[in-house]
Structure formats: C-alpha cells, structure tokens
Amino acid sequence: MTACGSVEHVPITAETEGVWNHFFVYPMSWLLIYVAELFNGSYGLAIVLVTIVVRLALLPLVLKQQKSTRALQTLRPEMEKLQNKYKEATKKDPKKQQEMQKELFSLYQQHGVNPMAGCLPLFVQLPVMMAFYFAIMRTEQIALHTFLWFDLGNPDPLYLLPLIAGATTFMQVRMTAAQLNDQMKIMMYIMPVMIIVAGMTLPSALSLYWVVGNIFMIVQTYFTVTRFEQQTAQVSKT
C-alpha cells in the first residue's frame, strides 16, 4: 500500500518508464491535458468530459456483460435443479461432480450461454478505469487549477463533493441490488461511507470523477437494467 501511495504522487510524463505508465496511464493523462486545452485550460471540465467519453467507450462491453448475466439468471432454476440433483451424490462420489459439470456445460451449450462471457468485458474495463484514476492523480497540471468552488488538487473544503459522491454511489448500487446476493448487498452501505471518507482526504479531482462516473452509471443502469426489468415484469403479467 505504501508503494502504491508513493507511485500515485509521481508525476506522469511521456518519459515515464514502464508498460503500465507508458501505454495506459500516460495516454489518459495526455487526453485530459488535450481536452483541457480545448476548453481554455479547464481541467475540471476535462475530467467531466473525458469521464463521459470513457464510459461511453466502455458501454458496449457493459451491455455484453449484462446480457450474459441475464442469460445466466434465466438458467438459474435449471442450474439449481442440477445442483440439488447431485448435492448428496457429490459428497460420496467425486466422479458425480464431473457428471454435474458435464450436464451444466450441456445446458449452457443448449441455450447458447457462455458463463465466462460476463467476466471478459470486466477484464477490459478495469485496466481502463484504473489508468484513468492514476492519470487524474498523477497529472501535475490538474492540481494547479480550480473548478467551480474547489481546488482540484485539494480536498473539497465544504465536503459537498464527497457527500454527493457517496450519495450517488449508494443510488447506483441500490439500483442493481436485485442482482446482488446478501453478502454483496452489505457493500451497498459500506461503499458510500468509504467514498465519503476518501473524498474528504483526497484531491477534489477524484471526487469530481466519482460524481460524474456515478451519475453516468445511474442513467446507464436505469435504461439498461431498471427499464428492462420493468418491461419484463409487464410482459410476464400479460
């Protein structure tokens, strides 16, 4: 953790060495600087716009992940039947576990479902979002500018941004609560608190990034998850 903390504060430039720095973090930093220069050096506006652009670029992957999740949810009753069928047998005979896996695989093939399809988009999204996070932290120009009522390089003195970031985090997770298990639902309450505490100590640029990203995710979740579930419920009633 100490090493990560020190890296976060090392300015990123074109000469910074390392595959992660050169091919992931620096391009994001360059994009932030480029967009800021287009808008009279407004790095706050650059963070807002680049956050939206990055989220839009990742949207096809998010939709693919959600499609895979819905497909698995549709198969859940049949999957549970298979698991119950082999529940006692697998304890006595390990070979029964292999038989159950074969039947599950056959079930996936029958319905054209790839259980790993939901994981692959996530492996692409995470490096991009992490690179953007570090680009905000390590772009020197950002810390030297202000936006609205706060300095981008210092915590929000009014604590409004951290509170908004925490509230929007709660709303975003709450909208997907139906897809979470009981253990994950606990995070619905823990994550907003963590965001608020972090926002009170970290630069406001990060809180701004969280707020914009959360609002985008709330809108995205409404149109891709909430409305879909509402339409599905109406169809099932008719």
Side-chain angles (χ1 to χ4, degrees), residues 7 27 29 59-61 80 91 135 142 151 193 195 208 231 236:
V7 169
S29 176
L59 187 56
L61 293 174
E80 289 177 350
K91 294 179 181 179
I142 291 177
D151 294 328
V193 175
I195 290 292
L208 177 63
Q231 292 171 356
S236 61

Side-chain angles (χ1 to χ4, degrees), residues 87-99:
K87 187 175 182 179
E88 296 299 327
T90 52
K91 294 179 181 179
K92 300 176 182 178
D93 186 0
K95 291 183 179 180
K96 293 294 183 181
Q97 179 72 26
Q98 295 180 352
E99 292 181 19

Side-chain angles (χ1 to χ4, degrees), residues 166-191:
T168 51
T169 297
F170 177 80
M171 290 174 62
Q172 194 271 318
V173 179
R174 180 71 180 82
M175 292 175 74
T176 58
Q179 300 178 349
L180 304 176
N181 56 39
D182 292 337
Q183 292 180 335
M184 289 300 294
K185 285 181 180 179
I186 298 176
M187 296 302 295
M188 182 170 61
Y189 303 98
I190 296 177
M191 284 180 62

Side-chain angles (χ1 to χ4, degrees), residues 106-123:
S106 177
L107 183 66
Y108 295 146
Q109 283 188 320
Q110 183 181 348
H111 292 83
V113 174
N114 181 359
M116 295 301 296
C119 299
L120 293 177
L122 189 62
F123 289 134

